[in-house]
Amino acid sequence: MLAQAVSRIGLGLGTQSLPIVGNSLRRFCSDGVDDLKKALSELIPEQQERLKALKKNYGSKSLGEVTVDMAMGGMRGIPGMLWETSLLDPEEGIRFRGLSIPDLQAQLPSAVPGGQPIPEGLLWLLLTGKVPTKEQAASVTEELRERSHLGPHVLKVLNSLPDDAHPMSQLSVGVMALQSGSHFAAAYTRGTHKSKYWETVYEDSMDLIAKLPQLAAMIYRRTYKGGEQIHPHHTLDWAANLAYMMGYEDSSCHEMMRMYQTIHSDHEGGNVSAHTTHLVGSALSDPYLSYAAGMNGLAGPLHGLANQEVLRWLKDLTAKLGPQPDKEAVRKYVEDTLASGKVVPGYGHAVLRKTDPRYTCQREFAQKYMPDYPLFKLVSDLYEVVPEVLSKTGKIKNPWPNVDAHSGVLLQYYGITEENYYTVLFGVSRALGVLAQGVWSRALGLPIERPKSMTMGVLEKRFVAAAAAAPAAK
């Protein structure tokens, strides 16, 4: 039973975790056991030549016009980086190596027949561009399990923080506590050739991905459950083990966590957490440094806190209208929200122009596992009401729900009610995409990022003076 697996862990954590395999590059990169790294290494030369051909043949071609609004508006819409692992389509939603969310659900291996994909299969896809077999996905599960050991110093570092430290602050600190084991940092200091950078970046990335569930669960237990830690289960997959170590044994909760970790993993490269990880990594900061930087960006309220905003709005609604309001009352509440100058959180997206497929797959999950849950019923009513109300304003390009409109509801159903923790779960998932891309960034030899900035004075000189001179020229 779970209770038997629980113990208060001090500095002895490492002795009861999964075995460490040593401080070298481990057996994975030396004896052929690591099929994923071998598959990746076989792909890299061809992709390096592909990049060279693109630069040679099209390097001087324009990708489009950049307006002052774009430069001053958060660089929104400016094409300015290479990101191989995913691409956001305005109509189809996110595609992971060309595959949509429904494609992933149909093609990636699952832990149970007909169930949700395991993120290990997605990681194989992100790194190789190919859908793995069940055996290949299982090999990733085993590799991550082998790499998952956390040294006792990690809990010691976390316990030195104030009791009220935000979970995202703890995640950033915990990742930095792991950085001393960076293979890339050590190899760079030794003077390794740049053509080999990707190999140790891969090692660091796989190590970090492997350790994140235990680190995240450790943060959860010390913050909300009195510090009693739960040891990893020796047969569960990566995402299910995260839920288990948090204290949740229900098999459908494990399925929910597999879905959650899959659909939040990547959303092309321009969002704050992905771009930050890419930017810091371009300076040849190791994966621990770059990922921690990305997580500090994810902690910002405009990026990673959106599902919490949705829950707050839902709770305000039910506080005023009761737990099961009728649709007309919901419609009036939505209209009043807009009339007060506020937005309806969870609706609209900067790029998408239809219902977010990540919302749809969560809705389908809820219909299967929690059809009578009052909060799900309310979210379903909102799905029928909000797009219509928003469309009538004539001001909204995309009135449809995004991923954040639903994810908090699923977590609440399973008893994960600590809303400040939700971004940690988001961050664990996002590691899959940003670290996979980081491996490819080093394999392709992408340079340090250095966009050009401008002052308002420069813009005025360029455009205001030109506009004033135009009538005189006539």
Side-chain angles (χ1 to χ4, degrees):
M1 294 297 293
L2 183 62
Q4 296 173 323
V6 176
S7 64
R8 185 171 296 277
I9 299 176
L11 299 185
L13 177 67
T15 63
Q16 299 185 48
S17 298
L18 293 169
I20 192 167
V21 190
N23 197 37
S24 66
L25 293 190
R26 296 175 169 80
R27 63 185 178 87
F28 296 110
C29 61
S30 59
D31 66 5
V33 174
D34 183 12
D35 293 335
L36 177 53
K37 190 171 187 180
K38 184 175 185 295
L40 182 59
S41 67
E42 292 172 351
L43 293 169
I44 286 173
E46 178 183 353
Q47 296 305 308
Q48 290 172 333
E49 292 303 314
R50 183 183 178 193
L51 181 70
K52 290 178 183 177
L54 279 169
K55 292 176 68 176
K56 178 181 178 180
N57 296 328
Y58 309 110
S60 62
K61 301 296 183 182
S62 173
L63 290 175
E65 183 182 21
V66 177
T67 66
V68 174
D69 276 343
M70 294 166 77
M72 297 175 65
M75 298 192 292
R76 191 175 296 269
I78 298 176
M81 63 189 301
L82 194 65
W83 194 268
E84 290 294 287
T85 49
S86 65
L87 185 68
L88 184 55
D89 185 288
E91 298 300 325
E92 297 298 325
I94 191 66
R95 286 186 174 272
F96 303 89
R97 293 289 190 168
L99 298 184
S100 66
I101 294 286
D103 292 335
L104 297 186
Q105 293 181 305
Q107 298 182 39
L108 288 181
S110 59
V112 296
Q116 296 295 322
I118 58 172
E120 293 92 318
L122 176 64
L123 181 57
W124 183 290
L125 173 68
L126 293 175
L127 280 167
T128 69
K130 299 179 181 179
V131 174
T133 64
K134 184 176 181 178
E135 292 74 22
Q136 288 170 329
S139 75
V140 177
T141 299
E142 179 59 27
E143 177 174 355
L144 295 178
R145 188 177 291 133
E146 291 271 6
R147 293 174 179 263
S148 66
H149 170 80
L150 281 184
H153 71 287
V154 178
L155 184 59
K156 184 177 180 180
V157 169
L158 293 180
N159 282 338
S160 71
L161 297 173
D163 291 340
D164 61 352
H166 193 283
M168 284 301 288
S169 299
Q170 296 183 57
L171 178 64
S172 181
V173 169
V175 170
M176 293 311 303
L178 295 170
Q179 189 273 339
S180 60
S182 170
H183 297 297
F184 176 78
Y188 187 85
T189 300
R190 292 194 303 267
T192 190
H193 193 274
K194 62 182 180 180
S195 65
K196 301 293 185 181
Y197 284 170
W198 77 267
E199 296 181 6
T200 46
V201 167
Y202 173 90
E203 295 297 327
D204 281 356
S205 298
M206 294 298 284
D207 280 351
L208 180 51
I209 290 169
K211 298 175 194 305
L212 281 173
Q214 192 168 347
L215 174 59
M218 183 182 291
I219 292 167
Y220 183 76
R221 300 295 300 182
R222 76 170 294 273
T223 304
Y224 304 111
K225 304 298 179 181
E228 290 184 318
Q229 302 294 330
I230 301 173
H231 302 308
H233 195 288
H234 68 282
T235 63
L236 289 175
D237 54 273
W238 183 79
N241 230 334
L242 169 57
Y244 175 83
M245 289 186 288
M246 289 172 63
Y248 300 94
E249 286 188 285
D250 188 291
S251 60
S252 67
C253 181
H254 294 177
E255 277 286 270
M256 181 275 295
M257 192 62 75
R258 293 177 184 117
M259 176 185 65
Y260 189 100
Q261 294 298 317
T262 295
I263 66 176
H264 288 84
S265 61
D266 207 27
H267 217 231
E268 68 177 28
N271 63 77
V272 170
S273 55
H275 188 196
T276 302
T277 305
H278 175 81
L279 170 64
V280 176
S282 77
L284 298 187
S285 299
D286 64 60
Y288 297 94
L289 294 168
S290 57
Y291 173 75
M295 291 305 95
N296 290 337
L298 185 66
L302 294 184
H303 185 22
L305 305 189
N307 63 357
Q308 296 178 44
E309 296 293 333
V310 171
L311 283 173
R312 291 191 190 101
W313 188 80
L314 292 175
K315 289 179 179 179
D316 287 344
L317 186 156
T318 55
K320 294 179 180 179
L321 303 182
Q324 294 179 302
D326 60 52
K327 288 184 183 179
E328 287 310 308
V330 169
R331 183 187 303 277
K332 179 67 165 55
Y333 189 85
V334 171
E335 292 171 344
D336 290 345
T337 296
L338 296 175
S340 68
K342 299 177 182 179
V343 300
V344 179
Y347 281 77
H349 192 276
V351 179
L352 280 171
R353 294 296 175 261
K354 62 178 290 186
T355 298
D356 191 334
R358 298 173 300 173
Y359 173 95
T360 302
C361 75
Q362 291 181 98
R363 176 175 170 79
E364 292 170 351
F365 183 93
Q367 288 172 327
K368 179 178 180 180
Y369 289 104
M370 56 193 80
D372 298 321
Y373 182 41
L375 203 53
F376 169 59
K377 288 184 175 181
L378 175 57
V379 167
S380 295
D381 286 345
L382 287 167
Y383 187 35
E384 296 181 21
V385 169
V386 174
E388 179 185 348
V389 174
L390 291 178
S391 295
K392 287 181 178 179
T393 68
K395 302 176 182 178
I396 308 297
K397 293 182 179 180
N398 174 21
W400 304 105
N402 59 50
V403 63
D404 299 305
H406 215 307
S407 56
V409 173
L410 302 186
L411 296 170
Q412 292 274 320
Y413 176 79
Y414 287 106
I416 307 172
T417 57
E418 300 84 1
E419 296 167 20
N420 277 347
Y421 183 77
Y422 291 177
T423 316
V424 173
L425 295 176
F426 188 169
V428 172
S429 174
R430 186 50 56 94
L432 300 175
V434 300
L435 293 178
Q437 175 57 44
V439 174
W440 274 105
S441 294
R442 301 289 75 77
L444 296 173
L446 300 186
I448 188 170
E449 188 172 301
R450 182 58 168 88
K452 173 64 177 171
S453 62
M454 306 182 79
T455 67
M456 286 193 288
V458 167
L459 293 173
E460 289 167 342
K461 183 177 180 181
R462 181 169 180 176
F463 296 109
V464 176
K474 293 181 179 179

